[in-house]
Amino acid sequence: MAYKITDECISCGACEAECQNQAISEGETIYVIDPDKCTECVGNFDSPKCTEICPIDNCCIPDPEHTESREQLLEKWRRLHPGETPLDT
Ligand code: SF4
């Protein structure tokens, strides 16, 4: 499932540069994740980078409204990175 950023966000922007899918952008008040681009970092890394880099606990979290299988996440990754090879984890 895609990740989302909660109201705990302090808008430091640390996550934006880490996302290899360009799924994170600055919203009106906090940073936001585009669920059409977030693959939980499937294809790029073996764990979600935004969660790792975020200085706030429980700020970048799985979004239960966007549940997807690993295969669906990989399909999304392939759409975003045509011609590239996903990280095999
Ligand atoms: Fe980007 Fe990975 Fe965070 Fe999704 S989980 S927004 S792909 S850094």
Side-chain angles (χ1 to χ4, degrees), residues 3 18-21 23-24 33 37-41 44 48-50:
Y3 269 51
E18 293 297 316
C19 180
Q20 300 296 300
N21 293 351
I24 302 175
I33 294 176
K37 293 183 176 176
C38 176
T39 60
E40 296 177 33
C41 283
N44 295 320
K49 278 286 166 189
C50 53

Tab-separated table of all heavy atoms in Angstrom, residues 3 18-21 23-24 33 37-41 44 48-50, ligand 1:
chain	number	residue	atom	x	y	z
A	3	TYR	N	2.278	4.859	1.056
A	3	TYR	CA	2.464	5.505	2.345
A	3	TYR	C	1.783	6.863	2.329
A	3	TYR	O	1.435	7.395	1.276
A	3	TYR	CB	3.961	5.654	2.637
A	3	TYR	CG	4.511	4.457	3.389
A	3	TYR	CD1	4.287	3.177	2.918
A	3	TYR	CD2	5.230	4.612	4.571
A	3	TYR	CE1	4.754	2.076	3.595
A	3	TYR	CE2	5.706	3.515	5.252
A	3	TYR	CZ	5.470	2.245	4.779
A	3	TYR	OH	5.934	1.160	5.466
A	18	GLU	N	14.672	11.821	-0.908
A	18	GLU	CA	14.945	10.390	-0.759
A	18	GLU	C	14.075	9.522	-1.652
A	18	GLU	O	14.438	8.397	-1.973
A	18	GLU	CB	14.730	9.961	0.697
A	18	GLU	CG	15.730	10.544	1.665
A	18	GLU	CD	17.154	10.089	1.379
A	18	GLU	OE1	17.347	8.890	1.114
A	18	GLU	OE2	18.047	10.948	1.407
A	19	CYS	N	12.919	10.039	-2.047
A	19	CYS	CA	11.973	9.217	-2.797
A	19	CYS	C	12.403	9.097	-4.252
A	19	CYS	O	12.394	10.081	-4.990
A	19	CYS	CB	10.567	9.800	-2.703
A	19	CYS	SG	9.382	8.802	-3.617
A	20	GLN	N	12.740	7.897	-4.657
A	20	GLN	CA	13.207	7.658	-6.024
A	20	GLN	C	12.064	7.664	-7.040
A	20	GLN	O	12.296	7.614	-8.246
A	20	GLN	CB	13.931	6.304	-6.098
A	20	GLN	CG	15.146	6.209	-5.201
A	20	GLN	CD	16.227	7.203	-5.605
A	20	GLN	OE1	16.722	7.163	-6.721
A	20	GLN	NE2	16.580	8.109	-4.701
A	21	ASN	N	10.829	7.723	-6.555
A	21	ASN	CA	9.673	7.759	-7.454
A	21	ASN	C	9.126	9.170	-7.627
A	21	ASN	O	8.100	9.339	-8.286
A	21	ASN	CB	8.550	6.866	-6.907
A	21	ASN	CG	8.914	5.404	-6.918
A	21	ASN	OD1	9.937	5.026	-7.474
A	21	ASN	ND2	8.089	4.585	-6.294
A	23	ALA	N	7.475	10.766	-5.547
A	23	ALA	CA	6.092	10.700	-5.061
A	23	ALA	C	5.792	11.764	-4.007
A	23	ALA	O	4.624	12.012	-3.702
A	23	ALA	CB	5.830	9.311	-4.461
A	24	ILE	N	6.840	12.386	-3.469
A	24	ILE	CA	6.641	13.326	-2.358
A	24	ILE	C	6.800	14.759	-2.851
A	24	ILE	O	7.722	15.078	-3.595
A	24	ILE	CB	7.652	13.046	-1.229
A	24	ILE	CG1	7.507	11.601	-0.738
A	24	ILE	CG2	7.456	14.028	-0.077
A	24	ILE	CD1	8.545	11.189	0.289
A	33	ILE	N	2.246	12.656	-0.144
A	33	ILE	CA	2.676	11.538	-0.985
A	33	ILE	C	1.596	11.241	-2.012
A	33	ILE	O	0.421	11.121	-1.664
A	33	ILE	CB	2.947	10.281	-0.126
A	33	ILE	CG1	4.153	10.528	0.792
A	33	ILE	CG2	3.175	9.055	-1.013
A	33	ILE	CD1	4.449	9.392	1.752
A	37	LYS	N	2.219	7.146	-7.191
A	37	LYS	CA	3.658	7.008	-7.417
A	37	LYS	C	4.371	6.259	-6.295
A	37	LYS	O	5.499	5.793	-6.489
A	37	LYS	CB	4.301	8.391	-7.587
A	37	LYS	CG	3.869	9.119	-8.841
A	37	LYS	CD	4.607	10.433	-8.973
A	37	LYS	CE	4.270	11.142	-10.278
A	37	LYS	NZ	4.934	12.466	-10.335
A	38	CYS	N	3.769	6.157	-5.127
A	38	CYS	CA	4.436	5.467	-4.005
A	38	CYS	C	4.332	3.957	-4.167
A	38	CYS	O	3.242	3.419	-4.346
A	38	CYS	CB	3.805	5.880	-2.680
A	38	CYS	SG	4.501	4.967	-1.283
A	39	THR	N	5.461	3.293	-4.111
A	39	THR	CA	5.498	1.827	-4.205
A	39	THR	C	5.978	1.197	-2.895
A	39	THR	O	6.419	0.054	-2.893
A	39	THR	CB	6.447	1.383	-5.337
A	39	THR	OG1	7.767	1.881	-5.051
A	39	THR	CG2	5.988	1.893	-6.689
A	40	GLU	N	5.905	1.956	-1.786
A	40	GLU	CA	6.500	1.493	-0.520
A	40	GLU	C	7.989	1.264	-0.701
A	40	GLU	O	8.599	0.487	0.011
A	40	GLU	CB	5.877	0.190	-0.016
A	40	GLU	CG	4.421	0.266	0.338
A	40	GLU	CD	3.885	-1.072	0.762
A	40	GLU	OE1	4.633	-1.862	1.360
A	40	GLU	OE2	2.703	-1.328	0.495
A	41	CYS	N	8.555	1.889	-1.725
A	41	CYS	CA	9.958	1.718	-2.112
A	41	CYS	C	10.238	0.351	-2.726
A	41	CYS	O	11.399	0.018	-3.000
A	41	CYS	CB	10.934	2.018	-0.975
A	41	CYS	SG	11.156	3.794	-0.705
A	44	ASN	N	12.953	-0.029	-5.484
A	44	ASN	CA	14.084	0.877	-5.250
A	44	ASN	C	14.960	0.461	-4.069
A	44	ASN	O	16.184	0.493	-4.156
A	44	ASN	CB	13.579	2.297	-4.974
A	44	ASN	CG	12.878	2.918	-6.154
A	44	ASN	OD1	13.299	2.758	-7.287
A	44	ASN	ND2	11.791	3.629	-5.893
A	48	PRO	N	10.969	1.291	3.231
A	48	PRO	CA	10.528	2.643	2.867
A	48	PRO	C	11.501	3.729	3.353
A	48	PRO	O	11.717	3.888	4.553
A	48	PRO	CB	9.163	2.774	3.558
A	48	PRO	CG	8.709	1.370	3.753
A	48	PRO	CD	9.955	0.581	4.031
A	49	LYS	N	12.076	4.452	2.421
A	49	LYS	CA	13.105	5.456	2.739
A	49	LYS	C	12.549	6.655	3.491
A	49	LYS	O	13.218	7.221	4.345
A	49	LYS	CB	13.764	5.947	1.446
A	49	LYS	CG	14.838	5.040	0.950
A	49	LYS	CD	16.076	5.182	1.820
A	49	LYS	CE	17.026	4.030	1.523
A	49	LYS	NZ	18.126	3.949	2.441
A	50	CYS	N	11.335	7.095	3.123
A	50	CYS	CA	10.814	8.300	3.787
A	50	CYS	C	10.647	8.050	5.278
A	50	CYS	O	10.946	8.928	6.092
A	50	CYS	CB	9.507	8.750	3.143
A	50	CYS	SG	8.215	7.506	3.020
B	1	SF4	FE1	8.596	7.384	-1.860
B	1	SF4	FE2	9.294	5.050	-0.754
B	1	SF4	FE3	8.173	6.939	0.765
B	1	SF4	FE4	6.704	5.688	-1.073
B	1	SF4	S1	7.634	4.736	0.739
B	1	SF4	S2	6.753	7.912	-0.708
B	1	SF4	S3	8.181	5.312	-2.723
B	1	SF4	S4	10.173	7.082	-0.253
